[in-house]
PDB file of all heavy atoms in Angstrom:
ATOM      1  N   PRO Q   1      -5.934  17.120  -8.386  1.00  0.00           N
ATOM      2  CA  PRO Q   1      -5.467  18.175  -7.375  1.00  0.00           C
ATOM      3  C   PRO Q   1      -4.836  19.348  -8.008  1.00  0.00           C
ATOM      4  O   PRO Q   1      -4.237  19.262  -9.095  1.00  0.00           O
ATOM      5  CB  PRO Q   1      -4.501  17.329  -6.542  1.00  0.00           C
ATOM      6  CG  PRO Q   1      -4.766  15.845  -6.769  1.00  0.00           C
ATOM      7  CD  PRO Q   1      -5.250  15.789  -8.153  1.00  0.00           C
ATOM      8  N   VAL Q   2      -4.912  20.457  -7.242  1.00  0.00           N
ATOM      9  CA  VAL Q   2      -4.387  21.642  -7.754  1.00  0.00           C
ATOM     10  C   VAL Q   2      -3.127  22.121  -7.081  1.00  0.00           C
ATOM     11  O   VAL Q   2      -2.451  23.063  -7.446  1.00  0.00           O
ATOM     12  CB  VAL Q   2      -5.485  22.835  -7.687  1.00  0.00           C
ATOM     13  CG1 VAL Q   2      -6.666  22.463  -8.549  1.00  0.00           C
ATOM     14  CG2 VAL Q   2      -5.885  23.072  -6.269  1.00  0.00           C
ATOM     15  N   ASN Q   3      -2.758  21.462  -5.939  1.00  0.00           N
ATOM     16  CA  ASN Q   3      -1.515  21.873  -5.271  1.00  0.00           C
ATOM     17  C   ASN Q   3      -0.961  20.719  -4.506  1.00  0.00           C
ATOM     18  O   ASN Q   3      -1.598  19.618  -4.415  1.00  0.00           O
ATOM     19  CB  ASN Q   3      -1.709  22.999  -4.331  1.00  0.00           C
ATOM     20  CG  ASN Q   3      -2.837  22.739  -3.308  1.00  0.00           C
ATOM     21  OD1 ASN Q   3      -2.859  21.753  -2.568  1.00  0.00           O
ATOM     22  ND2 ASN Q   3      -3.847  23.702  -3.179  1.00  0.00           N
ATOM     23  N   GLY Q   4       0.244  20.773  -3.933  1.00  0.00           N
ATOM     24  CA  GLY Q   4       0.946  19.743  -3.352  1.00  0.00           C
ATOM     25  C   GLY Q   4       0.230  19.192  -1.999  1.00  0.00           C
ATOM     26  O   GLY Q   4       0.262  18.056  -1.738  1.00  0.00           O
ATOM     27  N   ASP Q   5      -0.355  20.115  -1.293  1.00  0.00           N
ATOM     28  CA  ASP Q   5      -1.076  19.757  -0.074  1.00  0.00           C
ATOM     29  C   ASP Q   5      -2.272  18.877  -0.360  1.00  0.00           C
ATOM     30  O   ASP Q   5      -2.483  17.810   0.359  1.00  0.00           O
ATOM     31  CB  ASP Q   5      -1.539  21.026   0.725  1.00  0.00           C
ATOM     32  CG  ASP Q   5      -0.386  21.792   1.367  1.00  0.00           C
ATOM     33  OD1 ASP Q   5       0.684  21.215   1.468  1.00  0.00           O
ATOM     34  OD2 ASP Q   5      -0.619  22.939   1.651  1.00  0.00           O
ATOM     35  N   GLU Q   6      -2.991  19.207  -1.362  1.00  0.00           N
ATOM     36  CA  GLU Q   6      -4.184  18.387  -1.765  1.00  0.00           C
ATOM     37  C   GLU Q   6      -3.700  17.019  -2.249  1.00  0.00           C
ATOM     38  O   GLU Q   6      -4.305  16.000  -1.863  1.00  0.00           O
ATOM     39  CB  GLU Q   6      -4.975  19.085  -2.789  1.00  0.00           C
ATOM     40  CG  GLU Q   6      -6.222  18.208  -3.177  1.00  0.00           C
ATOM     41  CD  GLU Q   6      -7.079  18.862  -4.357  1.00  0.00           C
ATOM     42  OE1 GLU Q   6      -6.648  20.015  -4.764  1.00  0.00           O
ATOM     43  OE2 GLU Q   6      -8.089  18.309  -4.700  1.00  0.00           O
ATOM     44  N   LEU Q   7      -2.635  17.059  -3.086  1.00  0.00           N
ATOM     45  CA  LEU Q   7      -2.144  15.729  -3.631  1.00  0.00           C
ATOM     46  C   LEU Q   7      -1.652  14.849  -2.392  1.00  0.00           C
ATOM     47  O   LEU Q   7      -1.920  13.649  -2.490  1.00  0.00           O
ATOM     48  CB  LEU Q   7      -0.906  16.015  -4.590  1.00  0.00           C
ATOM     49  CG  LEU Q   7      -0.343  14.854  -5.265  1.00  0.00           C
ATOM     50  CD1 LEU Q   7      -1.310  14.053  -6.100  1.00  0.00           C
ATOM     51  CD2 LEU Q   7       0.868  15.272  -6.169  1.00  0.00           C
ATOM     52  N   THR Q   8      -0.944  15.418  -1.527  1.00  0.00           N
ATOM     53  CA  THR Q   8      -0.413  14.657  -0.375  1.00  0.00           C
ATOM     54  C   THR Q   8      -1.611  14.028   0.355  1.00  0.00           C
ATOM     55  O   THR Q   8      -1.609  12.877   0.778  1.00  0.00           O
ATOM     56  CB  THR Q   8       0.332  15.583   0.631  1.00  0.00           C
ATOM     57  OG1 THR Q   8       1.487  16.106  -0.133  1.00  0.00           O
ATOM     58  CG2 THR Q   8       0.758  14.790   1.842  1.00  0.00           C
ATOM     59  N   ALA Q   9      -2.643  14.839   0.681  1.00  0.00           N
ATOM     60  CA  ALA Q   9      -3.801  14.367   1.424  1.00  0.00           C
ATOM     61  C   ALA Q   9      -4.555  13.245   0.720  1.00  0.00           C
ATOM     62  O   ALA Q   9      -4.925  12.310   1.372  1.00  0.00           O
ATOM     63  CB  ALA Q   9      -4.778  15.596   1.729  1.00  0.00           C
ATOM     64  N   ARG Q  10      -4.730  13.432  -0.534  1.00  0.00           N
ATOM     65  CA  ARG Q  10      -5.460  12.405  -1.348  1.00  0.00           C
ATOM     66  C   ARG Q  10      -4.793  11.063  -1.443  1.00  0.00           C
ATOM     67  O   ARG Q  10      -5.353  10.044  -1.208  1.00  0.00           O
ATOM     68  CB  ARG Q  10      -5.728  12.897  -2.774  1.00  0.00           C
ATOM     69  CG  ARG Q  10      -6.541  14.176  -2.888  1.00  0.00           C
ATOM     70  CD  ARG Q  10      -8.007  13.799  -3.018  1.00  0.00           C
ATOM     71  NE  ARG Q  10      -8.367  13.095  -4.164  1.00  0.00           N
ATOM     72  CZ  ARG Q  10      -8.515  13.672  -5.400  1.00  0.00           C
ATOM     73  NH1 ARG Q  10      -8.451  14.985  -5.524  1.00  0.00           N
ATOM     74  NH2 ARG Q  10      -8.836  12.946  -6.420  1.00  0.00           N
ATOM     75  N   ILE Q  11      -3.420  11.059  -1.644  1.00  0.00           N
ATOM     76  CA  ILE Q  11      -2.683   9.794  -1.718  1.00  0.00           C
ATOM     77  C   ILE Q  11      -2.652   9.228  -0.262  1.00  0.00           C
ATOM     78  O   ILE Q  11      -2.865   7.952  -0.077  1.00  0.00           O
ATOM     79  CB  ILE Q  11      -1.198  10.034  -2.191  1.00  0.00           C
ATOM     80  CG1 ILE Q  11      -1.265  10.535  -3.671  1.00  0.00           C
ATOM     81  CG2 ILE Q  11      -0.402   8.745  -2.127  1.00  0.00           C
ATOM     82  CD1 ILE Q  11       0.085  10.945  -4.147  1.00  0.00           C
ATOM     83  N   SER Q  12      -2.405  10.033   0.745  1.00  0.00           N
ATOM     84  CA  SER Q  12      -2.392   9.449   2.103  1.00  0.00           C
ATOM     85  C   SER Q  12      -3.681   8.844   2.482  1.00  0.00           C
ATOM     86  O   SER Q  12      -3.584   7.733   3.117  1.00  0.00           O
ATOM     87  CB  SER Q  12      -2.049  10.634   3.086  1.00  0.00           C
ATOM     88  OG  SER Q  12      -0.811  11.214   2.822  1.00  0.00           O
ATOM     89  N   ALA Q  13      -4.837   9.421   2.170  1.00  0.00           N
ATOM     90  CA  ALA Q  13      -6.097   8.906   2.603  1.00  0.00           C
ATOM     91  C   ALA Q  13      -6.358   7.456   1.949  1.00  0.00           C
ATOM     92  O   ALA Q  13      -6.816   6.567   2.644  1.00  0.00           O
ATOM     93  CB  ALA Q  13      -7.213   9.859   2.166  1.00  0.00           C
ATOM     94  N   VAL Q  14      -5.939   7.352   0.630  1.00  0.00           N
ATOM     95  CA  VAL Q  14      -6.156   6.082   0.004  1.00  0.00           C
ATOM     96  C   VAL Q  14      -5.244   4.964   0.577  1.00  0.00           C
ATOM     97  O   VAL Q  14      -5.627   3.871   0.836  1.00  0.00           O
ATOM     98  CB  VAL Q  14      -5.962   6.133  -1.528  1.00  0.00           C
ATOM     99  CG1 VAL Q  14      -6.053   4.793  -2.248  1.00  0.00           C
ATOM    100  CG2 VAL Q  14      -6.984   7.148  -2.157  1.00  0.00           C
ATOM    101  N   LEU Q  15      -4.024   5.370   0.792  1.00  0.00           N
ATOM    102  CA  LEU Q  15      -3.013   4.280   1.280  1.00  0.00           C
ATOM    103  C   LEU Q  15      -3.442   3.964   2.748  1.00  0.00           C
ATOM    104  O   LEU Q  15      -3.240   2.835   3.100  1.00  0.00           O
ATOM    105  CB  LEU Q  15      -1.567   4.882   1.205  1.00  0.00           C
ATOM    106  CG  LEU Q  15      -1.066   5.099  -0.149  1.00  0.00           C
ATOM    107  CD1 LEU Q  15       0.475   5.570  -0.108  1.00  0.00           C
ATOM    108  CD2 LEU Q  15      -1.081   3.802  -0.959  1.00  0.00           C
ATOM    109  N   ASP Q  16      -3.899   4.895   3.505  1.00  0.00           N
ATOM    110  CA  ASP Q  16      -4.272   4.615   4.885  1.00  0.00           C
ATOM    111  C   ASP Q  16      -5.391   3.571   4.976  1.00  0.00           C
ATOM    112  O   ASP Q  16      -5.399   2.686   5.753  1.00  0.00           O
ATOM    113  CB  ASP Q  16      -4.772   5.882   5.614  1.00  0.00           C
ATOM    114  CG  ASP Q  16      -3.581   6.633   6.184  1.00  0.00           C
ATOM    115  OD1 ASP Q  16      -2.482   6.104   6.341  1.00  0.00           O
ATOM    116  OD2 ASP Q  16      -3.744   7.852   6.518  1.00  0.00           O
ATOM    117  N   ARG Q  17      -6.406   3.772   3.992  1.00  0.00           N
ATOM    118  CA  ARG Q  17      -7.463   2.799   3.940  1.00  0.00           C
ATOM    119  C   ARG Q  17      -6.944   1.403   3.424  1.00  0.00           C
ATOM    120  O   ARG Q  17      -7.468   0.387   3.813  1.00  0.00           O
ATOM    121  CB  ARG Q  17      -8.590   3.356   3.083  1.00  0.00           C
ATOM    122  CG  ARG Q  17      -9.391   4.519   3.655  1.00  0.00           C
ATOM    123  CD  ARG Q  17     -10.638   4.785   2.890  1.00  0.00           C
ATOM    124  NE  ARG Q  17     -10.362   5.049   1.474  1.00  0.00           N
ATOM    125  CZ  ARG Q  17     -10.203   6.400   1.022  1.00  0.00           C
ATOM    126  NH1 ARG Q  17     -10.202   7.330   1.814  1.00  0.00           N
ATOM    127  NH2 ARG Q  17      -9.964   6.576  -0.296  1.00  0.00           N
ATOM    128  N   ALA Q  18      -6.089   1.426   2.417  1.00  0.00           N
ATOM    129  CA  ALA Q  18      -5.679   0.192   1.767  1.00  0.00           C
ATOM    130  C   ALA Q  18      -4.728  -0.611   2.616  1.00  0.00           C
ATOM    131  O   ALA Q  18      -4.668  -1.837   2.534  1.00  0.00           O
ATOM    132  CB  ALA Q  18      -5.012   0.479   0.495  1.00  0.00           C
ATOM    133  N   LEU Q  19      -4.001   0.039   3.502  1.00  0.00           N
ATOM    134  CA  LEU Q  19      -2.990  -0.624   4.338  1.00  0.00           C
ATOM    135  C   LEU Q  19      -3.326  -0.611   5.771  1.00  0.00           C
ATOM    136  O   LEU Q  19      -2.510  -0.177   6.641  1.00  0.00           O
ATOM    137  CB  LEU Q  19      -1.552   0.024   4.024  1.00  0.00           C
ATOM    138  CG  LEU Q  19      -1.175  -0.075   2.567  1.00  0.00           C
ATOM    139  CD1 LEU Q  19       0.110   0.775   2.350  1.00  0.00           C
ATOM    140  CD2 LEU Q  19      -0.856  -1.518   2.183  1.00  0.00           C
ATOM    141  N   GLU Q  20      -4.488  -1.051   6.098  1.00  0.00           N
ATOM    142  CA  GLU Q  20      -4.956  -1.052   7.492  1.00  0.00           C
ATOM    143  C   GLU Q  20      -4.492  -2.334   8.227  1.00  0.00           C
ATOM    144  O   GLU Q  20      -5.316  -3.115   8.639  1.00  0.00           O
ATOM    145  CB  GLU Q  20      -6.455  -0.952   7.615  1.00  0.00           C
ATOM    146  CG  GLU Q  20      -6.960   0.484   7.193  1.00  0.00           C
ATOM    147  CD  GLU Q  20      -8.403   0.587   7.268  1.00  0.00           C
ATOM    148  OE1 GLU Q  20      -9.123  -0.430   7.141  1.00  0.00           O
ATOM    149  OE2 GLU Q  20      -8.955   1.710   7.598  1.00  0.00           O
ATOM    150  N   GLY Q  21      -3.252  -2.540   8.246  1.00  0.00           N
ATOM    151  CA  GLY Q  21      -2.682  -3.775   8.903  1.00  0.00           C
ATOM    152  C   GLY Q  21      -2.129  -3.570  10.246  1.00  0.00           C
ATOM    153  O   GLY Q  21      -1.528  -4.512  10.794  1.00  0.00           O
ATOM    154  N   GLY Q  22      -2.356  -2.411  10.882  1.00  0.00           N
ATOM    155  CA  GLY Q  22      -1.752  -2.113  12.216  1.00  0.00           C
ATOM    156  C   GLY Q  22      -0.319  -1.635  12.000  1.00  0.00           C
ATOM    157  O   GLY Q  22       0.281  -1.678  10.919  1.00  0.00           O
ATOM    158  N   GLY Q  23       0.255  -1.126  13.059  1.00  0.00           N
ATOM    159  CA  GLY Q  23       1.654  -0.699  13.031  1.00  0.00           C
ATOM    160  C   GLY Q  23       1.673   0.724  12.471  1.00  0.00           C
ATOM    161  O   GLY Q  23       0.730   1.511  12.561  1.00  0.00           O
ATOM    162  N   ALA Q  24       2.808   0.952  11.828  1.00  0.00           N
ATOM    163  CA  ALA Q  24       3.047   2.298  11.200  1.00  0.00           C
ATOM    164  C   ALA Q  24       2.062   2.618  10.038  1.00  0.00           C
ATOM    165  O   ALA Q  24       1.475   1.689   9.463  1.00  0.00           O
ATOM    166  CB  ALA Q  24       4.462   2.385  10.815  1.00  0.00           C
ATOM    167  N   ARG Q  25       1.920   3.927   9.800  1.00  0.00           N
ATOM    168  CA  ARG Q  25       1.111   4.357   8.647  1.00  0.00           C
ATOM    169  C   ARG Q  25       1.987   4.886   7.571  1.00  0.00           C
ATOM    170  O   ARG Q  25       3.116   5.385   7.834  1.00  0.00           O
ATOM    171  CB  ARG Q  25       0.084   5.472   9.146  1.00  0.00           C
ATOM    172  CG  ARG Q  25      -0.711   5.115  10.342  1.00  0.00           C
ATOM    173  CD  ARG Q  25      -1.452   3.722  10.246  1.00  0.00           C
ATOM    174  NE  ARG Q  25      -2.234   3.722   8.995  1.00  0.00           N
ATOM    175  CZ  ARG Q  25      -2.465   2.587   8.296  1.00  0.00           C
ATOM    176  NH1 ARG Q  25      -1.889   1.463   8.667  1.00  0.00           N
ATOM    177  NH2 ARG Q  25      -3.194   2.608   7.206  1.00  0.00           N
ATOM    178  N   PRO Q  26       1.638   4.825   6.365  1.00  0.00           N
ATOM    179  CA  PRO Q  26       2.344   5.365   5.253  1.00  0.00           C
ATOM    180  C   PRO Q  26       2.584   6.906   5.451  1.00  0.00           C
ATOM    181  O   PRO Q  26       1.695   7.578   5.939  1.00  0.00           O
ATOM    182  CB  PRO Q  26       1.580   5.154   4.015  1.00  0.00           C
ATOM    183  CG  PRO Q  26       0.607   4.017   4.380  1.00  0.00           C
ATOM    184  CD  PRO Q  26       0.321   4.173   5.798  1.00  0.00           C
ATOM    185  N   LYS Q  27       3.738   7.332   5.079  1.00  0.00           N
ATOM    186  CA  LYS Q  27       4.099   8.752   5.077  1.00  0.00           C
ATOM    187  C   LYS Q  27       4.252   9.289   3.609  1.00  0.00           C
ATOM    188  O   LYS Q  27       4.949   8.840   2.941  1.00  0.00           O
ATOM    189  CB  LYS Q  27       5.375   9.032   5.899  1.00  0.00           C
ATOM    190  CG  LYS Q  27       5.288   8.669   7.313  1.00  0.00           C
ATOM    191  CD  LYS Q  27       6.639   8.857   8.052  1.00  0.00           C
ATOM    192  CE  LYS Q  27       6.562   8.434   9.478  1.00  0.00           C
ATOM    193  NZ  LYS Q  27       6.486   6.925   9.615  1.00  0.00           N
ATOM    194  N   VAL Q  28       3.445  10.333   3.338  1.00  0.00           N
ATOM    195  CA  VAL Q  28       3.409  10.907   1.983  1.00  0.00           C
ATOM    196  C   VAL Q  28       3.771  12.374   1.980  1.00  0.00           C
ATOM    197  O   VAL Q  28       3.321  13.066   2.902  1.00  0.00           O
ATOM    198  CB  VAL Q  28       2.008  10.705   1.328  1.00  0.00           C
ATOM    199  CG1 VAL Q  28       2.032  11.244  -0.091  1.00  0.00           C
ATOM    200  CG2 VAL Q  28       1.612   9.180   1.312  1.00  0.00           C
TER     201      VAL Q  28
END
């Protein structure tokens, strides 16, 4: 990534897919 917004989006996308257990979602 080249900036903070892209880094945030990339980490969020992976954690959202990995932690699909219902309830709250990770905040990055």
Side-chain angles (χ1 to χ4, degrees):
V2 297
N3 57 52
D5 289 342
E6 183 183 357
L7 183 59
T8 298
R10 295 272 295 278
I11 297 173
S12 295
V14 176
L15 294 182
D16 277 343
R17 290 193 299 270
L19 299 171
E20 291 181 329
R25 309 306 307 145
K27 299 179 180 67
V28 180

